[in-house]
Amino acid sequence: LFCVQLDDSKLNYFQQPQDIKESDFAEFSEKYGRHSFVPPSQVQPSFSAFYRAGDPILIYFDSSSVLSMLRQPIKVGASGLCVDGNPAGFLDSKSTSCTRIFANLSKSCMTDPALDAASYYHDFTVLKVPINDTVMPSMKVIYEIEYSGTSGIQSVSVQFKVSNISVNSRSSLQQHFTIHFWVSNPILPGILPSLTLSHTLPRSGNPGYITGAPLLIANSGAKQHMSILRSESDGSCSQFLRHTVQFGRNMRTGCKISLSPILEDINCSYIQQKLYKAFQGMNRAEDFAVTGSAHSTQAEEWMTILIENCSVEAVNCTSCCMVPVTLEIQILWAKVGLLSNPQAQVVGTRHFYQCQPLKFLNKSLVPVTTIVTFTDMTEWPEPPRGQPQMHWKLPFDIFFPFKVALNVERTYRGDLAGYLLLILIMSSIFCF
């Protein structure tokens, strides 16, 4: 550990650093070998009677009687190597990815705690509420933590997803860790049972959606962000990472889904279910939030997503399997409210699957595409055509005297012109 000093006039940046010999190490260690960021006199902060947002979640190891914190490994540096010392914060939902390098993966698979699923849940318990004690550093994949206000954490569950990997002399393995927080609410009259749980997520607008904010969906009462498939660097579909659908921004992604290498397990139904689950992700979207500030306990603020699966029967192919290869997510939205401050709301969402016949069931990779389109359905009122005009109510014959006088004048002028023409003709005759 070291500290970086800024704007120190005593420093000479062109001076060669001093070499430290092994014999001088004890002297320098006594002079500089202390914690740079936590002075010895500083007292560790005490915890309150209940968890606050951002507080580290405490765990207790029964076998060793050690109090520690729930850890979530993160990547550090350009290489993205895993660091296991990152504490998980209360109400801080996040997903992390990092890379681990093994000199002998075959040996590490049996001895390294990072590859042992039991190390993420065995031999420790999560404290319902924090206690006033010194937090000692120790060691956290998907944790689901349910809490109830100031009553603290109600339950904790963990999910694992493992994969078979080939053993080489030197291999690298990428791991993913996620923490989700849920709040437990009592079932209120008139509220749908599927909306009794609320996933703690920030608003996407208040009340209308903000362009670029995540689109909110619900699955079994849990509020989440709508997401679509995301590709890895090699073009394959990521099993963990997905793109978040942002309101008002059209998207198009493509990747290849890997099927099971065991031929006897491959059949048409298996491929269809695997592709559908890949499109849907870990949690299938059932309802969508009409506004960006929709609350999960308000049923009127949610609408059902229309899902149209394609036909399972192949056309002109008896030995083919109709599999979904394209998911088109169509989102209709409109601006409502005052013209001075209109609010964007989603009025309808449809998931439309397009299928193609797959002739060879032992095909290892299937290319898939996801399309997201936003359509503005706003009906703007007609603009004003101008200032209103005065409507004069006058008698229908008010201009009659003027019309009569005008007609008399026209008749008089016509007679006078006729007389002058006759005089000119008679004068010309007599002159000759």
Side-chain angles (χ1 to χ4, degrees):
L1 298 178
F2 62 91
C3 291
V4 178
Q5 296 180 342
L6 301 179
D7 299 331
D8 192 343
S9 59
K10 298 179 181 179
L11 296 179
N12 184 357
Y13 297 101
F14 298 97
Q15 182 178 358
Q16 294 294 331
Q18 181 181 359
D19 295 334
I20 300 177
K21 300 179 181 180
E22 184 177 357
S23 58
D24 302 332
F25 182 78
E27 178 183 355
F28 283 94
S29 177
E30 182 179 358
K31 184 177 181 181
Y32 300 104
R34 69 177 191 274
H35 298 289
S36 300
F37 302 100
V38 182
S41 59
Q42 182 175 348
V43 180
Q44 294 289 344
S46 59
F47 295 95
S48 60
F50 53 88
Y51 285 111
R52 302 178 185 272
D55 288 347
I57 299 175
L58 303 182
I59 60 176
Y60 181 76
F61 290 90
D62 298 328
S63 59
S64 57
S65 300
V66 173
L67 184 66
S68 183
M69 293 182 290
L70 190 64
R71 305 285 179 171
Q72 186 180 21
I74 59 172
K75 63 180 179 180
V76 174
S79 60
L81 298 180
C82 291
V83 174
D84 297 321
N86 180 52
F90 184 68
L91 299 185
D92 185 12
S93 300
K94 64 173 61 176
S95 297
T96 60
S97 301
C98 58
T99 303
R100 299 186 188 273
I101 299 177
F102 304 96
N104 190 337
L105 184 58
S106 178
K107 182 179 179 181
S108 300
C109 185
M110 304 299 296
T111 59
D112 197 317
L115 302 181
D116 185 6
S119 64
Y120 294 95
Y121 69 92
H122 185 65
D123 195 34
F124 72 86
T125 56
V126 178
L127 297 186
K128 183 177 181 180
V129 293
I131 61 176
N132 289 327
D133 202 347
T134 302
V135 179
M136 300 182 63
S138 184
M139 194 172 143
K140 174 194 167 213
V141 259
I142 300 180
Y143 288 103
E144 302 285 346
I145 301 178
E146 180 185 356
Y147 73 99
S148 176
T150 57
S151 299
I153 295 176
Q154 303 299 309
S155 63
V156 179
S157 62
V158 60
Q159 302 177 19
F160 297 95
K161 187 170 184 178
V162 297
S163 302
N164 294 326
I165 58 177
S166 59
V167 177
N168 299 322
S169 59
R170 181 177 177 86
S171 305
S172 62
L173 178 66
Q174 191 175 40
Q175 293 181 312
H176 306 268
F177 307 90
T178 301
I179 292 183
H180 285 166
F181 288 90
W182 316 79
V183 58
S184 56
N185 295 325
I187 299 180
L188 303 177
I191 302 300
L192 296 178
S194 61
L195 298 178
T196 57
L197 292 178
S198 174
H199 188 187
T200 304
L201 289 177
R203 294 173 177 173
S204 293
N206 188 23
Y209 276 99
I210 299 175
T211 301
L215 192 67
L216 301 179
I217 60 173
N219 174 42
S220 300
K223 190 163 65 172
Q224 306 168 19
H225 292 159
M226 179 181 286
S227 62
I228 60 176
L229 286 171
R230 178 176 178 176
S231 64
E232 297 283 3
S233 58
D234 59 353
S236 62
C237 297
S238 176
Q239 299 181 7
F240 301 95
L241 302 179
R242 293 171 65 89
H243 285 295
T244 300
V245 177
Q246 299 177 347
F247 181 80
R249 295 179 178 174
N250 299 336
M251 303 178 64
R252 184 185 184 95
T253 63
C255 56
K256 295 182 180 180
I257 297 179
S258 176
L259 302 179
S260 174
I262 306 177
L263 298 181
E264 53 267 23
D265 290 344
I266 294 183
N267 53 59
C268 184
S269 177
Y270 165 80
I271 297 177
Q272 290 173 347
Q273 294 299 323
K274 184 176 180 66
L275 293 179
Y276 275 119
K277 289 181 179 179
F279 278 117
Q280 297 165 4
M282 297 182 61
N283 299 311
R284 178 179 179 179
E286 298 175 351
D287 306 296
F288 66 90
V290 176
T291 62
S293 60
H295 197 277
S296 58
T297 58
Q298 303 297 327
E300 65 275 5
E301 298 180 353
W302 297 83
M303 295 181 64
T304 303
I305 297 176
L306 301 179
I307 301 177
E308 297 184 15
N309 296 333
C310 49
S311 176
V312 297
E313 298 180 358
V315 180
N316 300 328
C317 184
T318 57
S319 60
C320 295
C321 178
M322 293 296 292
V323 297
V325 295
T326 301
L327 169 60
E328 184 175 355
I329 301 177
Q330 302 171 347
I331 302 172
L332 306 180
W333 67 281
K335 290 185 177 181
V336 299
L338 300 176
L339 287 174
S340 59
N341 187 24
Q343 301 295 313
Q345 296 185 4
V346 178
V347 298
T349 301
R350 184 179 76 153
H351 288 197
F352 178 70
Y353 290 93
Q354 300 179 15
C355 290
Q356 288 184 359
L358 184 65
K359 295 183 180 180
F360 304 100
L361 298 184
N362 59 351
K363 190 175 181 180
S364 59
L365 295 175
V366 177
V368 294
T369 304
T370 306
I371 303 173
V372 181
T373 57
F374 287 84
T375 304
D376 188 357
M377 305 294 293
T378 305
E379 294 184 1
W380 298 98
E382 294 184 2
R385 300 179 179 178
Q387 297 295 329
Q389 302 296 327
M390 298 296 296
H391 181 63
W392 299 97
K393 294 183 179 180
L394 301 175
F396 71 95
D397 58 346
I398 187 173
F399 295 104
F400 179 75
F402 302 98
K403 292 181 180 180
V404 172
L406 183 61
N407 291 334
V408 173
E409 182 180 358
R410 290 177 179 176
T411 303
Y412 172 75
R413 289 179 179 178
D415 295 342
L416 181 60
Y419 292 145
L420 293 176
L421 180 61
L422 181 59
I423 294 173
L424 291 175
I425 295 174
M426 293 299 294
S427 301
S428 60
I429 295 175
F430 288 111
C431 289
F432 288 104

